[in-house]
Amino acid sequence: MPAILVHGGAGPTSPDDDVAAAEAGCQSAAKAGHAVLSEGGSALDAVEAAVRALEDDPHFNAGTGSVLNAEGVIEMDASLMDGTTLSAGAVAGVRTVANPISLARAVMERSPHVLLAGPGADAFARRRGFPEVDPQSLVTPRARRRFEARRQDTHGTVGAVAVDAQSRLAAATSTGGTNGKLPGRVGDTPLIGCGTCADSRLGAASATGVGEYIIRLTLTRRLLDLLDRGQAPGVALDACLAEVVRLGGEAGLILALPDGRLAWARSTARMPVSWVTSSGQAGAAFSGPRAVLLP
Ligand code: ASP
């Protein structure tokens, strides 16, 4: 039976957290992804559907609701990976698409490349028929307030991992990045092996947290490598987060395993998650236990 787990970003709790909205947004994204799986869709289709739902939800820092860079402009990053073919697609610093995750998929399937960045990625979107959106239309009042307050905490990146009925795994991650980032800054989210990694023999993982630490540790690749060396999922997740914390950062990780189990762990106070397990159990959490392995 297929399973899916989504996250809505690791970070500190903050006064403008809307816990109910974050949980509800994650739940409907997990449901959207699971509907794809139930109809026989692939894990790749499911994670794309789940992340699109989160990008469209203004409560998250991805697509609509993305944070602003130091010039008050949105620059979005996204990637996804098919764990069976090890195909991957990613975009960095895009401004004019509503759903960067689908543009990342187009890079994977409709270009010879893995990662397109900046104006080239936006131009590719036009050539592939993605409607041009006014970047201002993606800016929410909350993102504007966070920008004006110069908030440094990261928050609200989204991701999904899934296993389908054929035991194929996939992972996807999307973000507006960090509030007030320098124009041109690229985080971990569009970098395969950092924010996103999938290998159907080992697992599918999506990371969130301060990208500058996640990149240096190639965090999701590291997690899959530890599993490959025989570490138990909980031990491998703890070891990855311990490395982030040792460097002075913070992060969260979600993981799907080839046998359908789902797991997450975070070093932060909060990381909204929602899931549907291989036995059909659905749930959501905002804070609660920092590490969980679901059967
Ligand atoms: N990892 C994202 C970035 O650094 C931010 C986040 O996860 O909140 O761009």
PDB file of all heavy atoms in Angstrom, residues 7-11 61 67 75 77 153-158 173-179 181 185-190 195 207-215 250-252 270, ligand 1:
ATOM      1  N   HIS A   7       5.832  17.979   4.773  1.00  0.00           N
ATOM      2  CA  HIS A   7       6.177  18.925   5.837  1.00  0.00           C
ATOM      3  C   HIS A   7       5.911  20.351   5.370  1.00  0.00           C
ATOM      4  O   HIS A   7       5.873  20.639   4.175  1.00  0.00           O
ATOM      5  CB  HIS A   7       7.642  18.768   6.281  1.00  0.00           C
ATOM      6  CG  HIS A   7       8.661  19.276   5.309  1.00  0.00           C
ATOM      7  ND1 HIS A   7       8.932  20.613   5.134  1.00  0.00           N
ATOM      8  CD2 HIS A   7       9.490  18.625   4.453  1.00  0.00           C
ATOM      9  CE1 HIS A   7       9.893  20.758   4.222  1.00  0.00           C
ATOM     10  NE2 HIS A   7      10.234  19.565   3.787  1.00  0.00           N
ATOM     11  N   GLY A   8       5.750  21.227   6.384  1.00  0.00           N
ATOM     12  CA  GLY A   8       5.520  22.639   6.092  1.00  0.00           C
ATOM     13  C   GLY A   8       6.584  23.522   6.704  1.00  0.00           C
ATOM     14  O   GLY A   8       6.324  24.676   7.035  1.00  0.00           O
ATOM     15  N   GLY A   9       7.819  22.992   6.832  1.00  0.00           N
ATOM     16  CA  GLY A   9       8.946  23.835   7.221  1.00  0.00           C
ATOM     17  C   GLY A   9       9.330  23.748   8.682  1.00  0.00           C
ATOM     18  O   GLY A   9       8.495  23.893   9.577  1.00  0.00           O
ATOM     19  N   ALA A  10      10.620  23.498   8.920  1.00  0.00           N
ATOM     20  CA  ALA A  10      11.153  23.478  10.288  1.00  0.00           C
ATOM     21  C   ALA A  10      11.542  24.894  10.693  1.00  0.00           C
ATOM     22  O   ALA A  10      11.956  25.690   9.861  1.00  0.00           O
ATOM     23  CB  ALA A  10      12.380  22.570  10.356  1.00  0.00           C
ATOM     24  N   GLY A  11      11.390  25.202  11.977  1.00  0.00           N
ATOM     25  CA  GLY A  11      11.810  26.515  12.454  1.00  0.00           C
ATOM     26  C   GLY A  11      11.403  26.712  13.891  1.00  0.00           C
ATOM     27  O   GLY A  11      10.794  25.822  14.498  1.00  0.00           O
ATOM     28  N   ASN A  61       5.850  29.150   3.013  1.00  0.00           N
ATOM     29  CA  ASN A  61       6.899  29.899   2.310  1.00  0.00           C
ATOM     30  C   ASN A  61       7.321  29.144   1.043  1.00  0.00           C
ATOM     31  O   ASN A  61       8.416  28.610   0.939  1.00  0.00           O
ATOM     32  CB  ASN A  61       8.071  30.098   3.287  1.00  0.00           C
ATOM     33  CG  ASN A  61       9.312  30.644   2.614  1.00  0.00           C
ATOM     34  OD1 ASN A  61       9.241  31.244   1.541  1.00  0.00           O
ATOM     35  ND2 ASN A  61      10.474  30.422   3.228  1.00  0.00           N
ATOM     36  N   VAL A  67       8.711  34.096   1.022  1.00  0.00           N
ATOM     37  CA  VAL A  67       9.330  35.261   1.666  1.00  0.00           C
ATOM     38  C   VAL A  67      10.028  36.123   0.601  1.00  0.00           C
ATOM     39  O   VAL A  67      10.230  35.692  -0.542  1.00  0.00           O
ATOM     40  CB  VAL A  67      10.343  34.840   2.760  1.00  0.00           C
ATOM     41  CG1 VAL A  67       9.644  34.076   3.874  1.00  0.00           C
ATOM     42  CG2 VAL A  67      11.499  34.041   2.175  1.00  0.00           C
ATOM     43  N   GLU A  75      12.121  35.180  -4.873  1.00  0.00           N
ATOM     44  CA  GLU A  75      12.953  34.287  -5.697  1.00  0.00           C
ATOM     45  C   GLU A  75      12.780  32.883  -5.141  1.00  0.00           C
ATOM     46  O   GLU A  75      13.193  32.615  -4.011  1.00  0.00           O
ATOM     47  CB  GLU A  75      14.434  34.693  -5.632  1.00  0.00           C
ATOM     48  CG  GLU A  75      14.726  35.982  -6.376  1.00  0.00           C
ATOM     49  CD  GLU A  75      16.215  36.337  -6.357  1.00  0.00           C
ATOM     50  OE1 GLU A  75      16.927  35.927  -5.422  1.00  0.00           O
ATOM     51  OE2 GLU A  75      16.635  37.033  -7.277  1.00  0.00           O
ATOM     52  N   ASP A  77      12.897  28.574  -5.076  1.00  0.00           N
ATOM     53  CA  ASP A  77      13.706  27.395  -5.395  1.00  0.00           C
ATOM     54  C   ASP A  77      12.838  26.138  -5.251  1.00  0.00           C
ATOM     55  O   ASP A  77      12.019  26.063  -4.325  1.00  0.00           O
ATOM     56  CB  ASP A  77      14.865  27.236  -4.400  1.00  0.00           C
ATOM     57  CG  ASP A  77      15.841  28.404  -4.380  1.00  0.00           C
ATOM     58  OD1 ASP A  77      15.898  29.167  -5.363  1.00  0.00           O
ATOM     59  OD2 ASP A  77      16.558  28.532  -3.367  1.00  0.00           O
ATOM     60  N   ASP A 153      14.379  34.306  11.253  1.00  0.00           N
ATOM     61  CA  ASP A 153      14.086  32.883  11.400  1.00  0.00           C
ATOM     62  C   ASP A 153      13.547  32.289  10.096  1.00  0.00           C
ATOM     63  O   ASP A 153      12.813  32.948   9.367  1.00  0.00           O
ATOM     64  CB  ASP A 153      13.078  32.672  12.532  1.00  0.00           C
ATOM     65  CG  ASP A 153      11.874  33.608  12.423  1.00  0.00           C
ATOM     66  OD1 ASP A 153      12.023  34.682  11.830  1.00  0.00           O
ATOM     67  OD2 ASP A 153      10.804  33.231  12.900  1.00  0.00           O
ATOM     68  N   THR A 154      13.926  31.064   9.817  1.00  0.00           N
ATOM     69  CA  THR A 154      13.395  30.407   8.620  1.00  0.00           C
ATOM     70  C   THR A 154      12.097  29.692   8.994  1.00  0.00           C
ATOM     71  O   THR A 154      11.861  29.360  10.142  1.00  0.00           O
ATOM     72  CB  THR A 154      14.376  29.373   8.044  1.00  0.00           C
ATOM     73  OG1 THR A 154      14.513  28.326   8.984  1.00  0.00           O
ATOM     74  CG2 THR A 154      15.692  29.990   7.711  1.00  0.00           C
ATOM     75  N   HIS A 155      11.280  29.444   8.020  1.00  0.00           N
ATOM     76  CA  HIS A 155       9.908  29.028   8.291  1.00  0.00           C
ATOM     77  C   HIS A 155       9.186  28.672   7.016  1.00  0.00           C
ATOM     78  O   HIS A 155       9.284  29.409   6.049  1.00  0.00           O
ATOM     79  CB  HIS A 155       9.182  30.282   8.808  1.00  0.00           C
ATOM     80  CG  HIS A 155       8.683  30.157  10.182  1.00  0.00           C
ATOM     81  ND1 HIS A 155       7.372  30.188  10.470  1.00  0.00           N
ATOM     82  CD2 HIS A 155       9.315  29.997  11.351  1.00  0.00           C
ATOM     83  CE1 HIS A 155       7.204  30.075  11.765  1.00  0.00           C
ATOM     84  NE2 HIS A 155       8.381  29.964  12.334  1.00  0.00           N
ATOM     85  N   GLY A 156       8.454  27.595   7.004  1.00  0.00           N
ATOM     86  CA  GLY A 156       7.405  27.436   6.010  1.00  0.00           C
ATOM     87  C   GLY A 156       7.780  26.860   4.656  1.00  0.00           C
ATOM     88  O   GLY A 156       6.933  26.780   3.769  1.00  0.00           O
ATOM     89  N   THR A 157       9.045  26.444   4.488  1.00  0.00           N
ATOM     90  CA  THR A 157       9.396  25.663   3.291  1.00  0.00           C
ATOM     91  C   THR A 157       8.528  24.410   3.269  1.00  0.00           C
ATOM     92  O   THR A 157       8.090  23.943   4.321  1.00  0.00           O
ATOM     93  CB  THR A 157      10.895  25.287   3.387  1.00  0.00           C
ATOM     94  OG1 THR A 157      11.656  26.459   3.168  1.00  0.00           O
ATOM     95  CG2 THR A 157      11.293  24.220   2.380  1.00  0.00           C
ATOM     96  N   VAL A 158       8.282  23.859   2.106  1.00  0.00           N
ATOM     97  CA  VAL A 158       7.418  22.678   2.040  1.00  0.00           C
ATOM     98  C   VAL A 158       8.120  21.517   1.338  1.00  0.00           C
ATOM     99  O   VAL A 158       9.037  21.721   0.536  1.00  0.00           O
ATOM    100  CB  VAL A 158       6.093  22.996   1.310  1.00  0.00           C
ATOM    101  CG1 VAL A 158       5.408  24.189   1.948  1.00  0.00           C
ATOM    102  CG2 VAL A 158       6.289  23.208  -0.183  1.00  0.00           C
ATOM    103  N   THR A 173      10.673  19.238  -2.889  1.00  0.00           N
ATOM    104  CA  THR A 173      10.823  20.318  -1.913  1.00  0.00           C
ATOM    105  C   THR A 173      10.676  21.652  -2.643  1.00  0.00           C
ATOM    106  O   THR A 173      11.122  21.776  -3.788  1.00  0.00           O
ATOM    107  CB  THR A 173      12.217  20.257  -1.234  1.00  0.00           C
ATOM    108  OG1 THR A 173      12.519  18.894  -0.894  1.00  0.00           O
ATOM    109  CG2 THR A 173      12.273  21.096   0.033  1.00  0.00           C
ATOM    110  N   SER A 174      10.051  22.643  -1.988  1.00  0.00           N
ATOM    111  CA  SER A 174       9.870  23.948  -2.627  1.00  0.00           C
ATOM    112  C   SER A 174       9.921  25.038  -1.565  1.00  0.00           C
ATOM    113  O   SER A 174       9.428  24.837  -0.445  1.00  0.00           O
ATOM    114  CB  SER A 174       8.512  23.976  -3.343  1.00  0.00           C
ATOM    115  OG  SER A 174       8.301  25.210  -4.004  1.00  0.00           O
ATOM    116  N   THR A 175      10.488  26.196  -1.915  1.00  0.00           N
ATOM    117  CA  THR A 175      10.647  27.265  -0.923  1.00  0.00           C
ATOM    118  C   THR A 175      10.815  28.637  -1.568  1.00  0.00           C
ATOM    119  O   THR A 175      11.242  28.745  -2.728  1.00  0.00           O
ATOM    120  CB  THR A 175      11.894  26.999  -0.042  1.00  0.00           C
ATOM    121  OG1 THR A 175      11.907  27.933   1.047  1.00  0.00           O
ATOM    122  CG2 THR A 175      13.190  27.146  -0.812  1.00  0.00           C
ATOM    123  N   GLY A 176      10.501  29.664  -0.780  1.00  0.00           N
ATOM    124  CA  GLY A 176      10.898  31.023  -1.142  1.00  0.00           C
ATOM    125  C   GLY A 176      12.271  31.347  -0.570  1.00  0.00           C
ATOM    126  O   GLY A 176      12.794  32.442  -0.788  1.00  0.00           O
ATOM    127  N   GLY A 177      12.846  30.406   0.176  1.00  0.00           N
ATOM    128  CA  GLY A 177      14.184  30.615   0.741  1.00  0.00           C
ATOM    129  C   GLY A 177      14.117  31.286   2.103  1.00  0.00           C
ATOM    130  O   GLY A 177      13.169  31.079   2.860  1.00  0.00           O
ATOM    131  N   THR A 178      15.130  32.080   2.399  1.00  0.00           N
ATOM    132  CA  THR A 178      15.191  32.723   3.710  1.00  0.00           C
ATOM    133  C   THR A 178      14.846  34.205   3.576  1.00  0.00           C
ATOM    134  O   THR A 178      15.226  34.863   2.596  1.00  0.00           O
ATOM    135  CB  THR A 178      16.595  32.555   4.330  1.00  0.00           C
ATOM    136  OG1 THR A 178      17.579  32.906   3.363  1.00  0.00           O
ATOM    137  CG2 THR A 178      16.835  31.118   4.755  1.00  0.00           C
ATOM    138  N   ASN A 179      14.142  34.701   4.579  1.00  0.00           N
ATOM    139  CA  ASN A 179      13.655  36.078   4.562  1.00  0.00           C
ATOM    140  C   ASN A 179      14.832  37.063   4.455  1.00  0.00           C
ATOM    141  O   ASN A 179      15.798  36.962   5.210  1.00  0.00           O
ATOM    142  CB  ASN A 179      12.886  36.322   5.869  1.00  0.00           C
ATOM    143  CG  ASN A 179      12.071  37.579   5.830  1.00  0.00           C
ATOM    144  OD1 ASN A 179      11.506  37.929   4.795  1.00  0.00           O
ATOM    145  ND2 ASN A 179      11.994  38.272   6.945  1.00  0.00           N
ATOM    146  N   LYS A 181      17.094  37.351   2.202  1.00  0.00           N
ATOM    147  CA  LYS A 181      18.325  36.787   1.600  1.00  0.00           C
ATOM    148  C   LYS A 181      18.868  37.735   0.534  1.00  0.00           C
ATOM    149  O   LYS A 181      18.104  38.516  -0.066  1.00  0.00           O
ATOM    150  CB  LYS A 181      18.008  35.414   0.996  1.00  0.00           C
ATOM    151  CG  LYS A 181      17.025  35.480  -0.181  1.00  0.00           C
ATOM    152  CD  LYS A 181      16.586  34.090  -0.629  1.00  0.00           C
ATOM    153  CE  LYS A 181      15.591  34.174  -1.795  1.00  0.00           C
ATOM    154  NZ  LYS A 181      15.126  32.849  -2.246  1.00  0.00           N
ATOM    155  N   ARG A 185      20.851  34.484  -3.936  1.00  0.00           N
ATOM    156  CA  ARG A 185      21.159  33.400  -2.987  1.00  0.00           C
ATOM    157  C   ARG A 185      20.381  32.134  -3.379  1.00  0.00           C
ATOM    158  O   ARG A 185      19.181  32.175  -3.642  1.00  0.00           O
ATOM    159  CB  ARG A 185      20.782  33.826  -1.577  1.00  0.00           C
ATOM    160  CG  ARG A 185      21.043  32.758  -0.492  1.00  0.00           C
ATOM    161  CD  ARG A 185      19.784  32.003  -0.113  1.00  0.00           C
ATOM    162  NE  ARG A 185      19.975  31.140   1.050  1.00  0.00           N
ATOM    163  CZ  ARG A 185      19.086  30.253   1.471  1.00  0.00           C
ATOM    164  NH1 ARG A 185      17.948  30.115   0.847  1.00  0.00           N
ATOM    165  NH2 ARG A 185      19.332  29.504   2.518  1.00  0.00           N
ATOM    166  N   VAL A 186      21.073  31.016  -3.430  1.00  0.00           N
ATOM    167  CA  VAL A 186      20.425  29.737  -3.696  1.00  0.00           C
ATOM    168  C   VAL A 186      20.584  28.889  -2.435  1.00  0.00           C
ATOM    169  O   VAL A 186      21.697  28.747  -1.916  1.00  0.00           O
ATOM    170  CB  VAL A 186      21.057  29.034  -4.915  1.00  0.00           C
ATOM    171  CG1 VAL A 186      20.463  27.645  -5.094  1.00  0.00           C
ATOM    172  CG2 VAL A 186      20.843  29.874  -6.179  1.00  0.00           C
ATOM    173  N   GLY A 187      19.483  28.342  -1.948  1.00  0.00           N
ATOM    174  CA  GLY A 187      19.538  27.512  -0.751  1.00  0.00           C
ATOM    175  C   GLY A 187      19.716  26.046  -1.089  1.00  0.00           C
ATOM    176  O   GLY A 187      20.094  25.675  -2.205  1.00  0.00           O
ATOM    177  N   ASP A 188      19.414  25.203  -0.113  1.00  0.00           N
ATOM    178  CA  ASP A 188      19.563  23.755  -0.292  1.00  0.00           C
ATOM    179  C   ASP A 188      18.442  23.150  -1.123  1.00  0.00           C
ATOM    180  O   ASP A 188      18.606  22.083  -1.722  1.00  0.00           O
ATOM    181  CB  ASP A 188      19.552  23.072   1.082  1.00  0.00           C
ATOM    182  CG  ASP A 188      18.249  23.378   1.839  1.00  0.00           C
ATOM    183  OD1 ASP A 188      17.991  24.571   2.105  1.00  0.00           O
ATOM    184  OD2 ASP A 188      17.491  22.428   2.132  1.00  0.00           O
ATOM    185  N   THR A 189      17.293  23.828  -1.127  1.00  0.00           N
ATOM    186  CA  THR A 189      16.077  23.216  -1.682  1.00  0.00           C
ATOM    187  C   THR A 189      16.234  22.744  -3.137  1.00  0.00           C
ATOM    188  O   THR A 189      15.776  21.649  -3.469  1.00  0.00           O
ATOM    189  CB  THR A 189      14.897  24.206  -1.533  1.00  0.00           C
ATOM    190  OG1 THR A 189      14.748  24.479  -0.140  1.00  0.00           O
ATOM    191  CG2 THR A 189      13.610  23.656  -2.098  1.00  0.00           C
ATOM    192  N   PRO A 190      16.861  23.521  -4.022  1.00  0.00           N
ATOM    193  CA  PRO A 190      16.960  23.037  -5.408  1.00  0.00           C
ATOM    194  C   PRO A 190      18.191  22.164  -5.659  1.00  0.00           C
ATOM    195  O   PRO A 190      18.427  21.767  -6.804  1.00  0.00           O
ATOM    196  CB  PRO A 190      17.063  24.341  -6.203  1.00  0.00           C
ATOM    197  CG  PRO A 190      17.813  25.253  -5.289  1.00  0.00           C
ATOM    198  CD  PRO A 190      17.400  24.879  -3.886  1.00  0.00           C
ATOM    199  N   GLY A 195      18.633  19.440  -0.296  1.00  0.00           N
ATOM    200  CA  GLY A 195      17.250  19.568   0.147  1.00  0.00           C
ATOM    201  C   GLY A 195      16.381  18.393  -0.253  1.00  0.00           C
ATOM    202  O   GLY A 195      15.342  18.149   0.378  1.00  0.00           O
ATOM    203  N   ALA A 207      14.462  17.948   3.066  1.00  0.00           N
ATOM    204  CA  ALA A 207      15.011  18.674   4.215  1.00  0.00           C
ATOM    205  C   ALA A 207      14.459  20.082   4.271  1.00  0.00           C
ATOM    206  O   ALA A 207      14.045  20.661   3.259  1.00  0.00           O
ATOM    207  CB  ALA A 207      16.535  18.733   4.121  1.00  0.00           C
ATOM    208  N   THR A 208      14.477  20.643   5.474  1.00  0.00           N
ATOM    209  CA  THR A 208      14.107  22.038   5.684  1.00  0.00           C
ATOM    210  C   THR A 208      14.943  22.574   6.834  1.00  0.00           C
ATOM    211  O   THR A 208      15.399  21.813   7.673  1.00  0.00           O
ATOM    212  CB  THR A 208      12.590  22.165   5.982  1.00  0.00           C
ATOM    213  OG1 THR A 208      12.334  23.478   6.511  1.00  0.00           O
ATOM    214  CG2 THR A 208      12.108  21.137   6.979  1.00  0.00           C
ATOM    215  N   GLY A 209      15.132  23.883   6.845  1.00  0.00           N
ATOM    216  CA  GLY A 209      15.984  24.492   7.866  1.00  0.00           C
ATOM    217  C   GLY A 209      16.933  25.453   7.186  1.00  0.00           C
ATOM    218  O   GLY A 209      16.691  25.874   6.047  1.00  0.00           O
ATOM    219  N   VAL A 210      17.999  25.789   7.861  1.00  0.00           N
ATOM    220  CA  VAL A 210      18.906  26.792   7.302  1.00  0.00           C
ATOM    221  C   VAL A 210      19.746  26.149   6.193  1.00  0.00           C
ATOM    222  O   VAL A 210      20.594  25.293   6.447  1.00  0.00           O
ATOM    223  CB  VAL A 210      19.801  27.392   8.399  1.00  0.00           C
ATOM    224  CG1 VAL A 210      20.643  28.518   7.828  1.00  0.00           C
ATOM    225  CG2 VAL A 210      18.948  27.908   9.548  1.00  0.00           C
ATOM    226  N   GLY A 211      19.485  26.588   4.971  1.00  0.00           N
ATOM    227  CA  GLY A 211      20.080  25.938   3.807  1.00  0.00           C
ATOM    228  C   GLY A 211      21.591  25.922   3.811  1.00  0.00           C
ATOM    229  O   GLY A 211      22.216  24.970   3.321  1.00  0.00           O
ATOM    230  N   GLU A 212      22.199  26.959   4.365  1.00  0.00           N
ATOM    231  CA  GLU A 212      23.654  27.044   4.330  1.00  0.00           C
ATOM    232  C   GLU A 212      24.309  25.879   5.083  1.00  0.00           C
ATOM    233  O   GLU A 212      25.431  25.478   4.769  1.00  0.00           O
ATOM    234  CB  GLU A 212      24.112  28.401   4.895  1.00  0.00           C
ATOM    235  CG  GLU A 212      23.973  29.569   3.903  1.00  0.00           C
ATOM    236  CD  GLU A 212      22.538  29.970   3.561  1.00  0.00           C
ATOM    237  OE1 GLU A 212      21.595  29.515   4.222  1.00  0.00           O
ATOM    238  OE2 GLU A 212      22.362  30.743   2.597  1.00  0.00           O
ATOM    239  N   TYR A 213      23.623  25.324   6.080  1.00  0.00           N
ATOM    240  CA  TYR A 213      24.146  24.145   6.784  1.00  0.00           C
ATOM    241  C   TYR A 213      23.801  22.868   6.023  1.00  0.00           C
ATOM    242  O   TYR A 213      24.610  21.956   5.916  1.00  0.00           O
ATOM    243  CB  TYR A 213      23.566  24.085   8.205  1.00  0.00           C
ATOM    244  CG  TYR A 213      23.977  25.271   9.030  1.00  0.00           C
ATOM    245  CD1 TYR A 213      23.148  26.374   9.171  1.00  0.00           C
ATOM    246  CD2 TYR A 213      25.226  25.298   9.639  1.00  0.00           C
ATOM    247  CE1 TYR A 213      23.529  27.473   9.902  1.00  0.00           C
ATOM    248  CE2 TYR A 213      25.628  26.401  10.385  1.00  0.00           C
ATOM    249  CZ  TYR A 213      24.772  27.482  10.501  1.00  0.00           C
ATOM    250  OH  TYR A 213      25.162  28.567  11.224  1.00  0.00           O
ATOM    251  N   ILE A 214      22.585  22.825   5.522  1.00  0.00           N
ATOM    252  CA  ILE A 214      22.124  21.616   4.825  1.00  0.00           C
ATOM    253  C   ILE A 214      22.988  21.358   3.591  1.00  0.00           C
ATOM    254  O   ILE A 214      23.353  20.221   3.282  1.00  0.00           O
ATOM    255  CB  ILE A 214      20.629  21.764   4.446  1.00  0.00           C
ATOM    256  CG1 ILE A 214      19.787  21.909   5.729  1.00  0.00           C
ATOM    257  CG2 ILE A 214      20.156  20.600   3.604  1.00  0.00           C
ATOM    258  CD1 ILE A 214      18.330  22.319   5.486  1.00  0.00           C
ATOM    259  N   ILE A 215      23.362  22.436   2.902  1.00  0.00           N
ATOM    260  CA  ILE A 215      24.195  22.295   1.702  1.00  0.00           C
ATOM    261  C   ILE A 215      25.560  21.715   2.069  1.00  0.00           C
ATOM    262  O   ILE A 215      26.045  20.770   1.443  1.00  0.00           O
ATOM    263  CB  ILE A 215      24.395  23.658   1.004  1.00  0.00           C
ATOM    264  CG1 ILE A 215      23.074  24.157   0.411  1.00  0.00           C
ATOM    265  CG2 ILE A 215      25.471  23.565  -0.088  1.00  0.00           C
ATOM    266  CD1 ILE A 215      23.120  25.594  -0.094  1.00  0.00           C
ATOM    267  N   GLU A 250      20.103  24.505  12.248  1.00  0.00           N
ATOM    268  CA  GLU A 250      18.936  23.733  12.667  1.00  0.00           C
ATOM    269  C   GLU A 250      18.220  23.251  11.412  1.00  0.00           C
ATOM    270  O   GLU A 250      18.315  23.881  10.352  1.00  0.00           O
ATOM    271  CB  GLU A 250      18.017  24.550  13.564  1.00  0.00           C
ATOM    272  CG  GLU A 250      17.583  25.863  12.956  1.00  0.00           C
ATOM    273  CD  GLU A 250      16.680  26.668  13.885  1.00  0.00           C
ATOM    274  OE1 GLU A 250      16.700  26.401  15.103  1.00  0.00           O
ATOM    275  OE2 GLU A 250      15.965  27.531  13.379  1.00  0.00           O
ATOM    276  N   ALA A 251      17.537  22.125  11.566  1.00  0.00           N
ATOM    277  CA  ALA A 251      16.907  21.534  10.383  1.00  0.00           C
ATOM    278  C   ALA A 251      15.844  20.534  10.780  1.00  0.00           C
ATOM    279  O   ALA A 251      15.722  20.145  11.949  1.00  0.00           O
ATOM    280  CB  ALA A 251      17.970  20.839   9.520  1.00  0.00           C
ATOM    281  N   GLY A 252      15.096  20.120   9.774  1.00  0.00           N
ATOM    282  CA  GLY A 252      14.141  19.026   9.920  1.00  0.00           C
ATOM    283  C   GLY A 252      14.220  18.159   8.672  1.00  0.00           C
ATOM    284  O   GLY A 252      14.619  18.638   7.599  1.00  0.00           O
ATOM    285  N   ARG A 270       9.382  23.541  15.899  1.00  0.00           N
ATOM    286  CA  ARG A 270       8.190  23.171  15.143  1.00  0.00           C
ATOM    287  C   ARG A 270       8.534  22.693  13.735  1.00  0.00           C
ATOM    288  O   ARG A 270       9.549  23.095  13.142  1.00  0.00           O
ATOM    289  CB  ARG A 270       7.226  24.361  15.055  1.00  0.00           C
ATOM    290  CG  ARG A 270       7.867  25.657  14.574  1.00  0.00           C
ATOM    291  CD  ARG A 270       7.776  25.872  13.108  1.00  0.00           C
ATOM    292  NE  ARG A 270       6.561  26.529  12.711  1.00  0.00           N
ATOM    293  CZ  ARG A 270       6.179  26.673  11.452  1.00  0.00           C
ATOM    294  NH1 ARG A 270       6.943  26.219  10.469  1.00  0.00           N
ATOM    295  NH2 ARG A 270       5.071  27.304  11.150  1.00  0.00           N
TER     296      ARG A 270
HETATM  297  N1  ASP B   1      15.945  25.374   3.543  1.00  0.00           N
HETATM  298  C1  ASP B   1      15.344  26.588   3.085  1.00  0.00           C
HETATM  299  C2  ASP B   1      16.426  27.494   2.527  1.00  0.00           C
HETATM  300  O1  ASP B   1      17.454  27.609   3.141  1.00  0.00           O
HETATM  301  C3  ASP B   1      14.601  27.349   4.126  1.00  0.00           C
HETATM  302  C4  ASP B   1      13.683  26.527   5.011  1.00  0.00           C
HETATM  303  O2  ASP B   1      13.687  25.321   4.973  1.00  0.00           O
HETATM  304  O3  ASP B   1      12.915  27.138   5.775  1.00  0.00           O
HETATM  305  O4  ASP B   1      16.208  28.106   1.521  1.00  0.00           O
END
